Amino acid sequence: MGTVDELLAGLDPADRPSVERIYEIAREEAPDAEQGTGYGMPALVYRGKPLVSVMRAKKHIGVYPFSPEAVAAVSGALEGHPGVGLDKGTIRYQPEHPLPDDVVRALVVARREQIER
């Protein structure tokens, strides 16, 4: 698939800011994370394990922390947020309703801490 940087460069201008912001927060919370892949998707990788990937799908943007536990850790904070959908290991949202920074930060921290165990 390519790198996170290539993914960002290829995004529609309407989608890029919200996707880019998630990766910025992830890099703040895990500065040692490197570009790599997780399940074939461009991702930030921390200590050899995928930390987070953000991908544009046809009808939404998907955030993949590679952990149902990390999604569960922030699910309550996303209740009532417009356009958000949750699955076992995925958060879906619309670019016109980006995820709040504090929720993204909590998601990344939850996944980072899981990797550190």
Side-chain angles (χ1 to χ4, degrees):
M1 274 223 106
T3 67
V4 169
D5 289 341
E6 290 170 342
L7 171 84
L8 291 170
L11 285 174
D12 183 284
D15 297 336
R16 185 176 177 150
S18 70
V19 173
E20 193 167 42
R21 183 67 185 140
I22 292 170
Y23 282 118
E24 287 171 358
I25 291 169
R27 286 179 172 126
E28 290 169 10
E29 294 301 328
D32 295 338
E34 300 175 347
Q35 293 190 49
T37 60
Y39 297 98
M41 298 181 286
L44 291 180
V45 176
Y46 179 70
R47 295 187 176 181
K49 296 186 179 181
L51 178 70
V52 68
S53 180
V54 187
M55 299 285 295
R56 180 62 156 123
K58 188 174 183 178
K59 295 184 179 183
H60 64 270
I61 294 174
V63 181
Y64 308 94
F66 307 99
S67 165
E69 293 83 11
V71 172
V74 300
S75 63
L78 290 170
E79 285 182 23
H81 189 78
V84 168
L86 302 174
D87 272 336
K88 191 164 109 174
T90 307
I91 298 171
R92 294 178 309 279
Y93 73 94
Q94 299 302 316
E96 61 269 20
H97 300 291
L99 299 177
D101 286 0
D102 61 330
V103 173
V104 173
R105 196 168 306 283
L107 178 73
V108 172
V109 167
R111 177 61 178 146
R112 186 196 70 212
E113 290 175 349
Q114 186 181 42
I115 292 169
E116 291 173 345
R117 284 189 236 142

